[in-house]
Amino acid sequence: DTAVSQTPKYLVTQMGNDKSIKCEQNLGHDTMYWYKQDSKKFLKIMFSYNNKELIINETVPNRFSPKSPDKAHLNLHINSLELGDSAVYFCASSLREKLFFGSGTQLSVL
Amino acid sequence: AQSVSQHNHHVILSEAASLELGCNYSYGGTVNLFWYVQYPGQHLQLLLKYFSGDPLVKGIKGFEAEFIKSKFSFNLRKPSVQWSDTAEYFCAVRGGNTPLVFGKGTRLSVIA
């Protein structure tokens, strides 16, 4: 069974569009995260949610907004997409310090 | 599709002991291989990566990894661990243009 699943796996879109990436975890974890993998392959944390409260928000443009309808889901909405948003985005959930990652979504903005 | 397996979920070592964390992957083509580390309370950091060339890769903080193509392995090593190496370690594989696939991670606890 997939522990952390995110969809879609690939997303190709035009500049200026609004898109969403969905994430679901069936592990019963309280904390979920969104990471962005940059061009140097570093994973940088964008958001983390604990019991539906935003507890980390690195310097991310407000065009990015996480939405958590319940503790098993943390979706990422991106408005007015820009070329620089092209990257791979990873969802994760955690129990204490052990992270479980989704398989990633490769976003390409044309 | 590629997959990654890390053999150990939790490794406990004394300071100065030698470390080897196993990582095996499955993918039929050319791969890029990575090890990430997450220290307590911090986000993931890239420890080292292999793209091509010398299969023995040196990373930060005295870590190294060896790519053995015939064994589909990319094990992480350090001759002498320190207490500050306590962290979660993730192996990751990327084949072709696909996104990174991570292993489930290995927690390393170093005790004095």
Side-chain angles (χ1 to χ4, degrees), chain A residues 15-86:
Chain A
M15 280 176 55
N17 285 351
D18 303 334
K19 289 292 178 186
S20 296
I21 307 173
K22 295 184 177 180
C23 179
E24 177 182 8
Q25 54 97 1
N26 61 7
L27 298 166
H29 291 167
D30 286 327
T31 307
M32 295 182 71
Y33 309 81
W34 277 104
Y35 284 82
K36 179 180 180 180
Q37 184 183 33
D38 67 11
S39 58
K40 294 183 179 179
K41 308 302 180 186
F42 281 95
L43 280 180
K44 294 184 178 178
I45 192 164
M46 300 175 69
F47 304 100
S48 101
Y49 257 77
N50 183 304
N51 289 325
K52 299 208 281 187
E53 288 187 287
L54 181 66
I55 57 173
I56 297 176
N57 186 350
E58 300 290 305
T59 53
V60 173
N62 58 14
R63 297 182 294 103
F64 291 78
S65 57
K67 297 278 190 330
S68 181
D70 55 62
K71 78 171 192 177
H73 296 84
L74 183 64
N75 303 325
L76 182 64
H77 297 271
I78 315 169
N79 296 324
S80 302
L81 279 155
E82 300 177 357
L83 291 177
D85 297 332
S86 295

XYZ file of all heavy atoms in Angstrom, chain A residues 15-86:
590
model
N 2.488 29.402 -18.477
C 2.643 30.512 -17.527
C 1.308 31.187 -17.287
O 0.487 31.311 -18.196
C 3.599 31.562 -18.113
C 5.063 31.236 -17.978
S 6.091 32.473 -18.791
C 5.535 33.976 -18.019
N 1.095 31.593 -16.064
C -0.115 32.328 -15.726
C -1.268 31.453 -15.263
O -2.233 31.955 -14.677
N -1.165 30.150 -15.516
C -2.243 29.253 -15.088
C -2.209 29.023 -13.583
O -1.202 29.278 -12.913
C -2.130 27.907 -15.811
C -2.585 27.980 -17.241
O -3.151 28.992 -17.679
N -2.333 26.941 -18.005
N -3.332 28.493 -13.073
C -3.425 28.066 -11.677
C -3.518 26.544 -11.664
O -4.300 25.959 -12.430
C -4.681 28.643 -11.006
C -4.731 30.155 -11.067
O -3.653 30.794 -11.157
O -5.850 30.699 -11.036
N -2.747 25.921 -10.808
C -2.764 24.462 -10.754
C -2.683 23.984 -9.309
O -2.271 24.725 -8.413
C -1.571 23.872 -11.532
C -1.683 24.030 -13.034
C -2.807 23.198 -13.614
C -2.915 23.414 -15.113
N -4.095 22.711 -15.679
N -3.068 22.729 -9.115
C -2.999 22.111 -7.791
C -2.317 20.765 -7.861
O -2.443 20.047 -8.861
C -4.408 21.909 -7.219
O -5.046 23.139 -7.005
N -1.625 20.431 -6.798
C -1.042 19.101 -6.636
C -1.639 18.519 -5.355
O -1.667 19.187 -4.317
C 0.489 19.156 -6.501
C 1.110 19.934 -7.662
C 1.058 17.743 -6.460
C 2.604 20.184 -7.502
N -2.112 17.285 -5.451
C -2.775 16.680 -4.302
C -1.831 15.724 -3.582
O -0.972 15.090 -4.193
C -4.023 15.925 -4.757
C -5.079 16.828 -5.336
C -6.338 16.045 -5.684
C -7.407 16.992 -6.199
N -8.655 16.270 -6.551
N -2.024 15.621 -2.278
C -1.224 14.705 -1.478
C -2.094 14.069 -0.417
O -2.867 14.758 0.273
C -0.063 15.431 -0.826
S 0.957 14.337 0.202
N -1.936 12.771 -0.276
C -2.688 12.027 0.739
C -1.759 11.041 1.433
O -0.920 10.412 0.795
C -3.841 11.258 0.064
C -4.639 10.398 1.015
C -5.739 9.601 0.335
O -5.772 9.602 -0.919
O -6.535 8.978 1.020
N -1.911 10.901 2.746
C -1.133 9.893 3.474
C -2.085 9.037 4.315
O -3.044 9.535 4.893
C -0.049 10.549 4.345
C -0.533 11.603 5.318
C -0.753 11.110 6.726
O -0.530 9.942 7.032
N -1.220 12.003 7.598
N -1.797 7.736 4.319
C -2.655 6.805 5.058
C -1.939 6.231 6.281
O -2.214 5.116 6.721
C -3.138 5.682 4.135
C -1.989 4.860 3.566
O -0.840 5.043 3.951
N -2.289 3.956 2.655
N -0.987 7.011 6.798
C -0.174 6.550 7.921
C -0.676 7.064 9.267
O -0.135 6.694 10.302
C 1.279 7.003 7.717
C 1.946 6.439 6.462
C 3.235 7.190 6.148
C 2.225 4.958 6.635
N -1.646 7.924 9.227
C -2.141 8.485 10.479
C -1.217 9.515 11.101
O -1.338 9.834 12.281
N -0.273 10.041 10.302
C 0.657 11.048 10.831
C -0.043 12.380 11.028
O -0.979 12.719 10.314
C 1.836 11.238 9.873
C 2.724 10.048 9.826
N 3.689 9.884 8.844
C 2.828 8.956 10.614
C 4.328 8.745 9.045
N 3.823 8.159 10.111
N 0.475 13.134 11.985
C -0.107 14.437 12.274
C 0.504 15.558 11.458
O -0.091 16.622 11.339
C 0.080 14.787 13.752
C -0.854 13.991 14.633
O -1.978 13.684 14.190
O -0.448 13.664 15.758
N 1.708 15.353 10.956
C 2.408 16.430 10.268
C 2.666 16.062 8.822
O 3.124 14.962 8.522
C 3.757 16.739 10.957
O 3.524 16.977 12.349
C 4.400 17.977 10.343
N 2.360 17.001 7.940
C 2.634 16.819 6.515
C 3.410 18.012 5.988
O 3.352 19.104 6.563
C 1.325 16.644 5.734
C 0.577 15.375 6.114
S -0.926 15.132 5.160
C -0.241 14.720 3.539
N 4.138 17.783 4.906
C 5.061 18.804 4.390
C 4.971 18.887 2.873
O 4.593 17.925 2.207
C 6.518 18.439 4.704
C 6.828 18.096 6.130
C 6.559 16.832 6.635
C 7.418 19.031 6.971
C 6.869 16.503 7.952
C 7.736 18.714 8.281
C 7.460 17.452 8.763
O 7.774 17.139 10.068
N 5.356 20.029 2.366
C 5.675 20.173 0.949
C 7.110 20.656 0.831
O 7.512 21.617 1.499
C 4.737 21.157 0.242
C 3.465 20.520 -0.179
C 2.233 20.639 0.397
C 3.286 19.630 -1.293
N 1.313 19.883 -0.281
C 1.927 19.258 -1.323
C 4.136 19.117 -2.274
C 1.404 18.399 -2.279
C 3.618 18.272 -3.231
C 2.265 17.918 -3.228
N 7.871 19.942 -0.023
C 9.244 20.314 -0.313
C 9.355 20.638 -1.799
O 8.663 20.045 -2.630
C 10.206 19.152 -0.043
C 10.517 18.878 1.402
C 9.649 18.129 2.186
C 11.700 19.322 1.972
C 9.960 17.845 3.506
C 12.024 19.044 3.287
C 11.140 18.300 4.043
O 11.454 18.018 5.355
N 10.270 21.538 -2.112
C 10.603 21.822 -3.509
C 12.053 21.421 -3.734
O 12.928 21.796 -2.936
C 10.410 23.311 -3.821
C 10.764 23.691 -5.248
C 10.551 25.181 -5.481
C 10.914 25.568 -6.905
N 10.724 27.030 -7.159
N 12.280 20.679 -4.780
C 13.655 20.286 -5.103
C 14.215 21.293 -6.096
O 13.700 21.445 -7.205
C 13.688 18.892 -5.706
C 15.109 18.392 -5.966
C 15.134 17.052 -6.625
O 14.261 16.725 -7.415
N 16.141 16.249 -6.314
N 15.294 21.948 -5.696
C 15.827 22.985 -6.562
C 16.816 22.407 -7.577
O 17.049 21.205 -7.621
C 16.458 24.124 -5.728
C 17.693 23.673 -4.980
O 18.207 22.557 -5.238
O 18.171 24.411 -4.133
N 17.380 23.275 -8.376
C 18.227 22.830 -9.483
C 19.492 22.131 -9.004
O 20.109 21.375 -9.745
C 18.596 24.008 -10.380
O 19.254 25.002 -9.617
N 19.899 22.379 -7.764
C 21.082 21.711 -7.218
C 20.710 20.445 -6.468
O 21.521 19.878 -5.763
C 21.842 22.668 -6.287
C 22.435 23.856 -7.006
C 23.227 24.731 -6.047
C 23.839 25.917 -6.787
N 24.593 26.795 -5.854
N 19.481 20.015 -6.617
C 18.980 18.777 -6.021
C 18.712 18.873 -4.531
O 18.437 17.873 -3.882
C 19.914 17.587 -6.293
C 20.276 17.405 -7.758
C 19.063 17.221 -8.631
C 19.478 17.035 -10.081
N 18.310 17.004 -10.990
N 18.842 20.067 -3.962
C 18.448 20.206 -2.561
C 16.939 20.184 -2.436
O 16.229 20.746 -3.274
C 18.951 21.536 -1.981
C 20.392 21.504 -1.599
C 21.351 21.948 -2.487
C 20.788 21.057 -0.360
C 22.689 21.944 -2.138
C 22.122 21.045 -0.001
C 23.071 21.491 -0.887
N 16.478 19.548 -1.383
C 15.065 19.630 -1.047
C 14.901 20.751 -0.037
O 15.492 20.725 1.028
C 14.578 18.322 -0.437
C 14.250 17.179 -1.384
C 13.794 15.987 -0.583
C 13.166 17.598 -2.365
N 14.079 21.720 -0.381
C 13.832 22.825 0.534
C 12.397 22.787 0.992
O 11.472 22.656 0.183
C 14.121 24.151 -0.169
C 15.585 24.315 -0.524
C 15.840 25.669 -1.136
C 17.320 25.842 -1.434
N 17.612 27.140 -2.076
N 12.215 22.916 2.290
C 10.862 22.830 2.807
C 10.080 24.094 2.454
O 10.606 25.206 2.518
C 10.858 22.581 4.327
C 9.464 22.191 4.798
C 11.411 23.774 5.093
C 9.457 21.574 6.177
N 8.839 23.893 2.044
C 7.976 25.033 1.725
C 6.959 25.260 2.837
O 6.787 26.369 3.319
C 7.237 24.777 0.414
C 8.147 24.564 -0.769
S 7.232 24.136 -2.247
C 6.397 25.678 -2.596
N 6.270 24.194 3.196
C 5.240 24.289 4.229
C 5.246 23.036 5.070
O 5.625 21.967 4.613
C 3.835 24.388 3.610
C 3.649 25.518 2.658
C 3.709 25.309 1.292
C 3.421 26.798 3.123
C 3.540 26.354 0.395
C 3.248 27.849 2.245
C 3.305 27.623 0.877
N 4.782 23.177 6.285
C 4.436 21.988 7.037
C 3.153 22.275 7.807
O 2.906 23.403 8.243
C 5.567 21.556 7.958
O 5.326 21.943 9.256
N 2.323 21.291 7.919
C 1.053 21.388 8.631
C 1.033 20.370 9.738
O 1.366 19.213 9.557
C -0.117 21.097 7.673
C -0.856 22.323 7.212
C -0.303 23.136 6.227
C -2.090 22.662 7.745
C -0.964 24.255 5.791
C -2.758 23.794 7.304
C -2.192 24.585 6.325
O -2.848 25.698 5.890
N 0.647 20.828 10.911
C 0.499 19.928 12.041
C -0.894 20.126 12.581
O -1.217 21.200 13.077
C 1.562 20.230 13.098
C 1.492 19.260 14.256
O 0.461 19.110 14.896
N 2.594 18.597 14.528
N -1.703 19.055 12.514
C -3.087 19.147 12.968
C -3.803 20.340 12.356
O -4.481 21.102 13.044
C -3.164 19.206 14.494
C -2.798 17.880 15.119
O -3.099 16.833 14.583
N -2.122 17.945 16.243
N -3.586 20.517 11.059
C -4.241 21.552 10.254
C -3.782 22.966 10.578
O -4.401 23.943 10.168
C -5.756 21.458 10.342
C -6.298 20.119 9.810
C -7.700 20.240 9.262
C -8.746 20.263 10.310
N -10.110 20.214 9.749
N -2.695 23.092 11.298
C -2.138 24.419 11.545
C -0.813 24.555 10.822
O 0.036 23.678 10.904
C -1.935 24.629 13.038
C -3.224 24.807 13.810
C -2.942 25.178 15.244
O -2.512 24.297 16.002
O -3.134 26.347 15.616
N -0.649 25.682 10.124
C 0.600 25.941 9.433
C 1.669 26.262 10.469
O 1.518 27.204 11.239
C 0.427 27.121 8.468
C 1.649 27.511 7.648
C 2.015 26.405 6.683
C 1.386 28.809 6.909
N 2.734 25.470 10.507
C 3.749 25.726 11.521
C 5.096 26.124 10.940
O 5.946 26.634 11.648
C 3.930 24.512 12.461
C 4.302 23.239 11.690
C 2.693 24.287 13.273
C 4.651 22.086 12.608
N 5.300 25.873 9.643
C 6.516 26.361 8.993
C 6.117 26.969 7.663
O 5.341 26.405 6.932
C 7.539 25.236 8.713
C 8.024 24.600 10.002
C 8.732 25.773 7.918
C 8.941 23.438 9.792
N 6.634 28.108 7.360
C 6.418 28.690 6.049
C 7.694 29.431 5.679
O 7.912 30.541 6.116
C 5.221 29.643 6.069
C 4.876 30.159 4.692
O 5.621 29.970 3.741
N 3.743 30.822 4.571
N 8.565 28.752 4.934
C 9.803 29.393 4.522
C 9.456 30.540 3.569
O 8.304 30.796 3.312
C 10.711 28.368 3.822
C 11.100 27.180 4.699
C 12.036 27.559 5.809
O 13.097 28.142 5.529
O 11.706 27.286 6.979
N 10.441 31.210 3.071
C 10.181 32.373 2.217
C 9.645 31.916 0.865
O 10.378 31.849 -0.121
C 11.465 33.188 2.038
O 12.495 32.293 1.585
C 11.872 33.810 3.353
N 8.382 31.610 0.863
C 7.709 31.116 -0.332
C 6.738 32.181 -0.817
O 6.019 32.765 0.005
C 6.945 29.807 0.011
C 6.099 29.364 -1.157
C 7.922 28.715 0.415
N 6.684 32.446 -2.108
C 5.729 33.455 -2.610
C 4.299 33.109 -2.232
O 3.936 31.927 -2.142
C 5.920 33.384 -4.129
C 7.274 32.815 -4.329
C 7.517 31.887 -3.183
N 3.501 34.122 -1.996
C 2.131 33.849 -1.582
C 1.259 33.319 -2.714
O 0.062 33.069 -2.519
C 1.493 35.085 -0.929
C 1.482 36.283 -1.852
O 1.704 36.167 -3.058
N 1.246 37.455 -1.286
N 1.851 33.138 -3.902
C 1.126 32.448 -4.974
C 0.960 30.972 -4.626
O 0.129 30.275 -5.196
C 1.896 32.560 -6.295
C 2.062 33.975 -6.799
C 2.801 34.015 -8.131
N 4.183 33.569 -8.015
C 4.613 32.374 -8.399
N 3.790 31.495 -8.922
N 5.888 32.062 -8.278
N 1.791 30.495 -3.689
C 1.704 29.104 -3.254
C 0.882 29.050 -1.979
O 1.173 29.779 -1.021
C 3.098 28.545 -2.966
C 3.960 28.360 -4.175
C 4.588 29.434 -4.774
C 4.149 27.110 -4.732
C 5.387 29.278 -5.890
C 4.946 26.926 -5.842
C 5.570 28.019 -6.423
N -0.115 28.201 -1.959
C -0.917 28.091 -0.751
C -1.244 26.632 -0.488
O -1.766 25.934 -1.355
C -2.205 28.915 -0.875
O -2.943 28.511 -2.007
N -0.943 26.160 0.710
C -1.315 24.794 1.073
C -2.744 24.776 1.605
O -3.183 25.713 2.263
C -0.316 24.455 2.183
C 0.027 25.774 2.797
C -0.164 26.830 1.755
N -3.437 23.689 1.284
C -4.803 23.519 1.777
C -4.928 22.130 2.375
O -4.620 21.141 1.710
C -5.816 23.668 0.626
C -5.845 25.029 -0.029
C -6.666 26.016 0.744
C -6.932 27.333 0.044
N -5.984 27.829 -0.883
N -5.388 22.071 3.590
C -5.497 20.787 4.275
C -6.926 20.556 4.726
O -7.325 21.024 5.794
C -4.552 20.743 5.479
O -4.631 19.498 6.130
N -7.729 19.823 3.950
C -9.121 19.579 4.345
C -9.236 18.667 5.556
O -10.224 18.745 6.299
C -9.726 18.917 3.102
C -8.562 18.370 2.344
C -7.395 19.246 2.647
N -8.251 17.819 5.764
C -8.197 16.957 6.955
C -6.756 16.522 7.138
O -5.918 16.789 6.278
C -9.137 15.744 6.821
C -8.854 14.942 5.561
O -7.734 14.416 5.428
O -9.747 14.867 4.690
N -6.463 15.824 8.220
C -5.041 15.604 8.521
C -4.399 14.568 7.601
O -3.200 14.383 7.617
C -4.845 15.245 9.993
C -5.161 13.833 10.400
C -4.693 13.608 11.843
C -4.726 12.141 12.210
N -4.208 11.915 13.572
N -5.197 13.908 6.774
C -4.628 12.949 5.825
C -4.295 13.580 4.479
O -3.704 12.930 3.620
C -5.602 11.791 5.613
N -4.660 14.829 4.296
C -4.470 15.489 3.002
C -3.803 16.842 3.171
O -4.140 17.601 4.095
C -5.813 15.699 2.280
C -6.511 14.436 1.917
N -7.317 13.742 2.808
C -6.507 13.715 0.765
C -7.784 12.659 2.207
N -7.310 12.620 0.968
N -2.864 17.115 2.283
C -2.277 18.453 2.204
C -2.031 18.754 0.735
O -1.095 18.243 0.127
C -0.964 18.548 2.984
C -0.333 19.946 3.007
C -1.229 20.937 3.744
C 1.051 19.923 3.642
N -2.907 19.577 0.166
C -2.814 19.909 -1.249
C -2.061 21.219 -1.427
O -2.092 22.094 -0.550
C -4.217 20.012 -1.856
C -5.009 18.720 -1.673
O -4.442 17.626 -1.717
N -6.314 18.846 -1.455
N -1.410 21.339 -2.553
C -0.627 22.544 -2.851
C -1.249 23.255 -4.036
O -1.357 22.683 -5.129
C 0.821 22.167 -3.169
C 1.781 23.315 -3.456
C 1.940 24.198 -2.234
C 3.138 22.774 -3.910
N -1.688 24.483 -3.822
C -2.254 25.288 -4.888
C -1.245 26.341 -5.313
O -0.615 26.979 -4.461
C -3.537 25.975 -4.430
C -4.616 25.010 -4.079
N -5.527 24.530 -4.989
C -4.927 24.425 -2.910
C -6.348 23.687 -4.393
N -6.013 23.600 -3.138
N -1.114 26.503 -6.608
C -0.177 27.496 -7.133
C -0.928 28.385 -8.113
O -1.508 27.904 -9.088
C 1.025 26.848 -7.849
C 1.595 25.682 -7.047
C 2.111 27.901 -8.084
C 2.594 24.839 -7.796
N -0.939 29.675 -7.833
C -1.605 30.633 -8.714
C -0.589 31.343 -9.604
O 0.576 31.516 -9.235
C -2.372 31.679 -7.889
C -3.492 31.063 -7.083
O -4.147 30.131 -7.537
N -3.693 31.568 -5.887
N -1.048 31.750 -10.760
C -0.230 32.559 -11.681
C 1.170 31.974 -11.849
O 2.185 32.604 -11.547
C -0.114 34.003 -11.161
O -1.377 34.569 -11.004
N 1.217 30.766 -12.336
C 2.474 30.053 -12.453
C 3.508 30.818 -13.270
O 3.186 31.463 -14.272
C 2.242 28.671 -13.067
C 1.761 27.620 -12.071
C 0.994 26.507 -12.767
C 2.957 27.058 -11.296
N 4.762 30.722 -12.814
C 5.874 31.381 -13.481
C 6.900 30.319 -13.916
O 6.908 29.210 -13.393
C 6.546 32.372 -12.524
C 5.622 33.472 -12.031
C 6.298 34.397 -11.036
O 7.479 34.149 -10.682
O 5.640 35.359 -10.599
N 7.743 30.728 -14.862
C 8.744 29.789 -15.366
C 9.606 29.219 -14.236
O 9.941 28.034 -14.220
C 9.645 30.482 -16.385
C 9.016 30.866 -17.724
C 10.021 31.620 -18.590
C 8.496 29.641 -18.459
N 9.932 30.048 -13.288
C 10.794 29.641 -12.191
C 10.163 28.653 -11.232
O 10.836 28.113 -10.350
N 8.877 28.423 -11.399
C 8.202 27.431 -10.549
C 8.470 26.011 -11.030
O 8.134 25.053 -10.320
C 6.695 27.682 -10.539
C 6.334 29.028 -9.943
O 7.103 29.523 -9.093
O 5.280 29.585 -10.339
N 9.034 25.870 -12.216
C 9.353 24.534 -12.732
C 10.327 23.847 -11.789
O 11.408 24.369 -11.500
C 9.969 24.621 -14.126
O 9.046 25.124 -15.052
